Amino acid sequence: GAVVSQHPSRVICKSGTSVKIECRSLDFQATTMFWYRQFPKQSLMLMATSNEGSKATYEQGVEKDKFLINHASLTLSTLTVTSAHPEDSSFYICSAKDRRNTEAFFGQGTRLTVV
Amino acid sequence: AQSVTQLGSHVSVSEGALVLLRCNYSSSVPPYLFWYVQYPNQGLQLLLKYTTGATLVKGINGFEAEFKKSETSFHLTKPSAHMSDAAEYFCAVGTGGYQKVTFGIGTKLQVIP
């Protein structure tokens, strides 16, 4: 299957700082990328969908000024958590698909801890 | 609108026993259905998917699922559980082209030696 690489796998940051998470498709062109947040013992909640070259579409309740998503190329999307607070601590997962696929491929996830 | 219900947040089976993880869905359009597996602190790996055609879908690691429209179900099965199957399993429903996929709450599978 196609490979999606997410980096970093773990990050600890101080409250008030910003953190950038990268999601790369290694062997296909990701026309669409999805960003999810997963709380402990809960399912994945879709935060936003981004299409290459377009602004991301955020789900209801997700602050677009806090969770900045950039999808400037067909192989890279980034999620920046701005002015992070402890309640932003969570597991963030990206997935990506190309134009043809009926499935998306997931990155390994990023465990964010804000202290 | 679409939703997924996974019955049983925790399922325990003995090694070698049948694995049955239940998933029911609702969808206003013909659904695309997925089962994913997640190991601790990792992303999701696709086990199998149903889009159209044959309703019995075979996936990786010996898993299979059957799409039953009349029951709005897509239960995941494996004839004989292995210790390495211990993980969390997510059922998901989407529409064509993998748009707006909704995940269930997940079922944690424990395999007892």
Side-chain angles (χ1 to χ4, degrees):
Chain A
V3 179
V4 174
S5 177
Q6 189 173 339
H7 179 80
S9 58
R10 292 177 181 270
V11 58
I12 300 173
C13 70
K14 290 186 177 180
S15 188
T17 62
S18 296
V19 173
K20 181 183 284 188
I21 302 169
E22 292 188 348
C23 182
R24 292 180 183 273
S25 58
L26 299 186
D27 51 3
F28 68 101
Q29 294 186 327
T31 51
T32 305
M33 287 191 169
F34 306 89
W35 286 96
Y36 297 87
R37 184 172 179 176
Q38 186 179 31
F39 290 101
K41 300 183 180 180
Q42 293 190 30
S43 188
L44 282 73
M45 300 301 296
L46 180 65
M47 299 175 66
T49 302
S50 72
N51 293 299
E52 185 267 337
S54 303
K55 287 186 178 180
T57 301
Y58 289 80
E59 296 299 302
Q60 192 172 11
V62 178
E63 299 175 61
K64 62 181 181 181
D65 294 331
K66 180 167 186 63
F67 299 100
L68 301 178
I69 292 172
N70 183 285
H71 190 174
S73 80
L74 283 171
T75 59
L76 174 64
S77 176
T78 60
L79 167 67
T80 301
V81 183
T82 62
S83 187
H85 287 94
E87 56 265 31
D88 298 325
S89 298
S90 191
F91 194 57
Y92 293 87
I93 309 177
C94 72
S95 68
K97 66 179 287 292
D98 64 20
R99 196 169 279 112
R100 301 166 299 154
N101 251 315
T102 57
E103 66 179 272
F105 302 94
F106 283 79
Q108 306 95 315
T110 297
R111 172 74 60 192
L112 170 63
T113 303
V114 184
V115 298
Chain B
Q2 57 194 26
S3 66
V4 175
T5 301
Q6 288 184 244
L7 295 176
S9 58
H10 286 80
V11 171
S12 292
V13 300
S14 298
E15 189 175 16
L18 171 72
V19 175
L20 170 61
L21 304 183
R22 299 179 185 274
C23 173
N24 288 88
Y25 71 91
S26 70
S27 177
S28 55
V29 298
Y32 281 29
L33 295 160
F34 308 84
W35 274 101
Y36 289 91
V37 61
Q38 184 182 34
Y39 296 98
N41 291 310
Q42 293 188 29
L44 275 67
Q45 180 182 10
L46 182 70
L47 280 176
L48 48 79
K49 64 178 179 181
Y50 167 80
T51 54
T52 58
T55 57
L56 181 62
V57 181
K58 294 186 184 298
I60 62 172
N61 302 339
F63 285 93
E64 62 181 39
E66 186 171 10
F67 168 58
K68 292 187 177 181
K69 185 178 178 181
S70 61
E71 298 177 9
T72 60
S73 70
F74 191 57
H75 302 330
L76 181 71
T77 61
K78 181 174 180 178
S80 176
H82 192 272
M83 295 300 295
S84 61
D85 294 327
E88 187 136 26
Y89 292 80
F90 291 92
C91 181
V93 61
T95 56
Y98 201 91
Q99 298 299 323
K100 287 290 186 181
V101 175
T102 300
F103 287 83
I105 200 165
T107 297
K108 194 163 189 175
L109 176 66
Q110 180 185 20
V111 182
I112 303 166

